[in-house]
């Protein structure tokens, strides 16, 4: 049977995404019931780029499902250092593992691996392109704080050009009912045309601005992001743009009382630590949702039935 992969959020229908979010919520309610469902299964986690949350949340997700984890977070210790292609690595590793998670600096690597692997492949971030499991994390966070993913004005602020979490989230949220976007960035870091083209095709409303102050009051969700230093060509440009937006307590005074502030993390300077104690700041809760939704994803891709729904 052909393996199912998650390379970008559109690989799953909204109905399937909602099913996964519901499964994640059931896992949160009763984690013990799921603690053995992946017994005997092995996840390979291949990180060709730095990671804290994504790697550890996948690893703990598999361990909490009773499975085991192999992999590397430093590709210089793998055969990549000898010149092996990612295609050959994918085929080889899929002989050992039941599911592969890969993060790579080059756009399209997860897709390439999925063509060669004999098991499901999950894209844990490919260059500045997509990061679908962060999107699932973000969606689970939203449904935990808002009644529905519907009728929301979502502000996305920071590095919209290189932020893969943003490209994934925006193209996915656009498929839900009545979502409007406010894209907040300096001119040099605007949302890529391919994302805007997709929204235009779907008839989804968005505005673009460089002012967080002017837009914050209209938002139900503010999604902050760091300037992606590693994807800049010039260090000078990075230094000029890195502190363009800093969310402070003062700015939060102008936000709605039920607005939530999200961030995929890591944070650099774009949210002052004084905001962390604001009940609307949910980014550290978001981290935990990431682990639960990845548990749901692993179960789904491995075709493991929910023991509570038999
Ligand atoms: C993000 C990533 O790697 O794209 N981090 C994450 O997975 N939570 C965001 C970032 O690095 O800015």
């Amino acid at each position: 049977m052909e393996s199912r992969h998650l390379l970008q959020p559109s690989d799953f229908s909204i109905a399937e995404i909602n099913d996964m979010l519901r499964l994640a919520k059931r896992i949160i309610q009763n984690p013990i019931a799921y603690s053995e469902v992946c017994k005997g299964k092995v996840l390979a986690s291949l990180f060709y780029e730095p990671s804290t949350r994504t790697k550890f949340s996948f690893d703990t997700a598999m361990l909490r499902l009773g499975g085991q984890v192999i992999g590397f977070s430093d590709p210089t210790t793998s055969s990549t250092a000898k010149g092996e292609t990612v295609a050959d690595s994918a085929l080889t590793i899929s002989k050992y593992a039941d599911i592969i998670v890969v993060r790579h600096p080059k756009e399209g690597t997860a897709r390439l691996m999925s063509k060669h692997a004999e098991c499901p492949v999950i894209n844990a971030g490919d260059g500045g392109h997509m990061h679908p499991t962060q999107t699932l994390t973000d969606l689970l966070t939203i449904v935990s704080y808002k009644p529905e993913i519907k009728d929301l004005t979502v502000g996305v602020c920071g590095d919209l050009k290189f932020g893969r979490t943003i490209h994934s989230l925006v193209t996915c949220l656009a498929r839900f009912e009545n979502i409007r976007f406010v894209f907040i960035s300096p001119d040099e870091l605007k949302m890529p045309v391919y994302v805007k083209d997709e929204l235009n095709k779907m008839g989804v409303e968005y505005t673009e601005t460089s002012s967080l102050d002017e837009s914050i009051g209209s938002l139900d969700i503010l999604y902050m992001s760091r300037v992606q230093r590693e994807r800049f060509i010039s260090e000078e440009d990075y230094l000029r743009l890195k502190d363009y937006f800093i969310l402070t307590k003062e700015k939060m005074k102008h936000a709605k009382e039920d607005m939530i502030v999200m961030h995929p993390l890591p944070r650099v300077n774009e949210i002052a630590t004084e905001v962390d104690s604001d009940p609307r700041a949910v980014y550290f809760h978001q981290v935990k949702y990431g682990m639960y939704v990845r548990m749901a994803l692993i179960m789904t891709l491995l075709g493991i039935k929910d023991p509570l729904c038999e």
Side-chain angles (χ1 to χ4, degrees):
M1 206 178 74
E2 277 279 300
S3 299
R4 182 109 196 246
H5 311 287
L6 177 60
L7 307 173
Q8 53 187 47
S10 56
D11 291 334
F12 282 83
S13 68
I14 295 299
E16 288 173 318
I17 290 174
N18 282 329
D19 280 348
M20 250 186 299
L21 299 179
R22 279 191 286 269
L23 173 57
K25 282 184 164 181
R26 290 196 293 278
I27 298 173
I28 293 173
Q29 292 300 317
N30 194 348
I32 300 295
Y34 298 85
S35 61
E36 305 254 309
V37 293
C38 282
K39 205 166 171 205
K41 301 282 184 197
V42 174
L43 175 138
S45 94
L46 316 179
F47 279 74
Y48 295 85
E49 251 196 354
S51 171
T52 302
R53 273 148 295 272
T54 307
K55 174 155 177 37
F56 286 138
S57 68
F58 264 115
D59 292 358
T60 48
M62 190 53 160
L63 295 173
R64 284 175 189 275
L65 292 170
Q68 313 242 351
V69 180
I70 57 167
F72 56 76
S73 47
D74 175 3
T76 60
T77 63
S78 78
S79 278
T80 307
K82 300 182 192 167
E84 184 171 62
T85 63
V86 288
D88 283 357
S89 298
L91 176 58
T92 303
I93 293 162
S94 68
K95 305 277 183 195
Y96 310 129
D98 300 286
I99 187 161
I100 291 176
V101 176
V102 59
R103 167 171 288 187
H104 199 281
K106 208 162 157 216
E107 286 80 4
T109 301
R111 181 169 302 281
L112 177 67
M113 282 190 148
S114 73
K115 295 207 157 63
H116 297 270
E118 294 171 345
C119 69
V121 172
I122 300 172
N123 179 10
D126 61 330
H129 183 223
M130 289 277 161
H131 192 345
T133 65
Q134 181 63 46
T135 300
L136 294 176
T137 302
D138 300 338
L139 296 178
L140 183 59
T141 307
I142 296 172
V143 292
S144 303
Y145 290 94
K146 300 281 175 195
E148 268 182 283
I149 309 179
K150 190 180 163 186
D151 302 327
L152 296 168
T153 303
V154 181
V156 191
C157 177
D159 186 345
L160 312 190
K161 181 176 180 186
F162 296 114
R164 57 190 174 197
T165 63
I166 287 170
H167 308 152
S168 272
L169 179 64
V170 167
T171 50
C172 186
L173 271 180
R175 294 192 282 148
F176 287 81
E177 209 181 313
N178 196 24
I179 304 289
R180 297 163 298 276
F181 295 103
V182 183
F183 297 146
I184 310 158
S185 74
D187 252 8
E188 295 93 327
L189 298 179
K190 278 170 116 174
M191 189 64 89
V193 172
Y194 84 89
V195 174
K196 290 191 277 191
D197 278 351
E198 230 177 286
L199 300 185
N200 290 335
K201 259 191 249 149
M202 296 165 84
V204 173
E205 202 185 304
Y206 64 85
T207 52
E208 296 184 282
T209 172
S210 57
S211 169
L212 176 57
D213 290 329
E214 281 169 25
S215 42
I216 195 167
S218 67
L219 307 177
D220 300 304
I221 296 173
L222 172 57
Y223 196 92
M224 295 295 293
S225 66
R226 82 183 161 95
V227 175
Q228 305 277 299
R229 181 179 205 159
E230 65 276 35
R231 312 211 194 281
F232 269 68
I233 296 172
S234 130
E235 179 72 3
E236 202 183 308
D237 283 350
Y238 168 73
L239 294 173
R240 184 167 49 80
L241 295 167
K242 74 182 176 64
D243 293 330
Y244 198 95
F245 298 111
I246 301 182
L247 184 65
T248 57
K249 256 187 169 168
E250 183 52 40
K251 285 198 170 68
M252 286 296 285
K253 285 188 189 152
H254 307 286
K256 291 183 187 172
E257 268 180 23
D258 63 349
M259 184 191 82
I260 55 170
V261 185
M262 297 172 62
H263 192 308
L265 302 177
R267 148 176 68 188
V268 184
N269 249 349
E270 56 284 352
I271 304 180
T273 51
E274 63 182 19
V275 176
D276 297 358
S277 55
D278 188 310
R280 293 170 291 181
V282 305
Y283 30 91
F284 284 108
H285 302 298
Q286 207 175 329
V287 171
K288 196 143 189 183
Y289 292 123
M291 181 185 71
Y292 289 116
V293 89
R294 288 178 173 107
M295 290 170 81
L297 173 66
I298 293 169
M299 283 180 64
T300 304
L301 290 180
L302 289 179
I304 291 169
K305 288 219 167 67
D306 183 342
L308 296 185
C309 293
E310 268 167 356

